[in-house]
Amino acid sequence: MTAVARHIALVPAAGSGSRFGAALPKQYTDLAGQPLLRHAIARLASHPSIDRVVVVLSPDDTRFDALDLAGLRPIIEARRCGGDTRAASVLAGLRSLAGQVTPDDWILVHDAARPCLPDSVIDRLVATLADDAVGGIAALPVADTLKRADADARIETTVARSGLWAAQTPQMFRYGVLLDALEHADLDQVTDEAGAVEARGLSPRLVEGDPANLKVTYPRDLQLAAQLLAAMGDVS
Ligand code: CTP
Ligand code: MG
């Protein structure tokens, strides 16, 4: 491992937001006066450990070029290579970096739909994983008791929560490790980068995330996201 590995944020932003259910793709939904995607990019670009921010768009994206990125560090670039699934979008983004990165460089995959990423989560990932050969993910230990439901929404069983964590992003892996994992993955089945890395027999680290780092999935998530953003202060 080299000590000079760079940290490249990769933001998959080629989804349609079907659960969000708006006419506009979810990543362009307004939150406190800016599209969700701009918030996510701004959080990453304002962190001093991040060297580049690569945004993966749908090939027919019509809105990215209108984003006002003027106040942000000029380390942001877009690639119109998004695919049918999140994993396909991430893999296409990784392939587009071939020749520009080394296998040891770090890739921090971060959802466009997580606009409130605290600096402290990036700090912890970068510090905890610095000498790691594989990488790891931001995640939170599950606090609630978990129930498995039957088809009638009745409790079938109580799932022991001991040892269970809820995955967030960023998910931070060595470029070479992540490319290999996604090249071998069933892209329709993989739900996060760690899952693909696990399937190669590796064990990603769990690094403490933050409850503020919520993913906007449904319209109801916007109100809480707006409150969290207001409490965090502006980065640009
Ligand atoms: N994403 C992507 N390419 C896809 C699907 C998703 O780049 N084919 C991105 C989304 O734009 C989002 C992130 O992956 O930034 C997390 O996905 P999710 O929150 O599930 O967003 P959507 O897939 O757009 O929403 P839904 O699953 O409700 O359709
Ligand atoms: Mg999705």
Side-chain angles (χ1 to χ4, degrees):
M1 302 307 129
T2 81
V4 294
R6 289 172 301 164
H7 295 86
I8 299 154
L10 186 70
V11 182
S16 61
S18 55
R19 285 169 292 177
F20 195 80
L24 199 65
K26 178 176 73 176
Q27 56 274 32
Y28 293 107
T29 296
D30 183 86
L31 172 64
Q34 292 174 14
L36 273 191
L37 173 59
R38 191 191 182 281
H39 288 288
I41 294 173
R43 299 303 313 177
L44 293 161
S46 70
H47 194 288
S49 293
I50 301 293
D51 299 298
R52 282 171 81 176
V53 179
V54 177
V55 185
V56 179
L57 302 174
S58 162
D60 47 18
D61 183 287
T62 56
R63 295 179 175 85
F64 185 84
D65 292 342
L67 290 189
D68 180 7
L69 304 178
L72 303 176
R73 271 201 296 156
I75 58 168
I76 300 157
E77 58 203 280
R79 309 276 165 102
R80 296 174 178 274
C81 57
D84 289 341
T85 63
R86 180 178 181 285
S89 296
V90 172
L91 177 55
L94 292 176
R95 285 179 174 154
S96 82
L97 288 169
Q100 305 175 14
V101 294
T102 72
D104 282 349
D105 280 339
W106 289 109
I107 303 293
L108 289 87
V109 181
H110 183 62
D111 293 329
R114 294 185 190 267
C116 312
L117 173 64
D119 285 344
S120 56
V121 174
I122 300 179
D123 292 340
R124 279 195 290 275
L125 285 163
V126 169
T128 308
L129 301 174
D131 298 320
D132 205 281
V134 179
I137 70 170
L140 283 178
V142 171
D144 296 326
T145 296
L146 295 176
K147 306 295 184 184
R148 187 178 305 284
D150 67 14
D152 299 324
R154 289 190 170 275
I155 296 170
E156 202 171 80
T157 177
T158 297
V159 182
R161 68 164 178 252
S162 155
L164 289 184
W165 293 59
Q168 299 187 332
T169 72
Q171 302 210 346
M172 176 171 147
F173 292 100
R174 302 275 182 191
Y175 177 79
V177 168
L178 187 55
L179 181 64
D180 168 81
L182 287 172
E183 297 272 18
H184 288 87
D186 178 349
L187 298 180
D188 294 331
Q189 298 298 318
V190 164
T191 55
D192 69 351
E193 287 64 52
V197 173
E198 292 157 41
R200 300 297 283 160
L202 301 171
S203 299
R205 286 275 296 256
L206 291 161
V207 177
E208 189 188 351
D210 194 305
N213 183 28
L214 86 171
K215 183 156 79 82
V216 174
T217 303
Y218 301 100
R220 64 169 185 250
D221 301 324
L222 281 178
Q223 192 183 352
L224 179 55
Q227 289 166 358
L228 290 165
L229 268 185
M232 290 170 81
D234 204 3
V235 289
S236 62

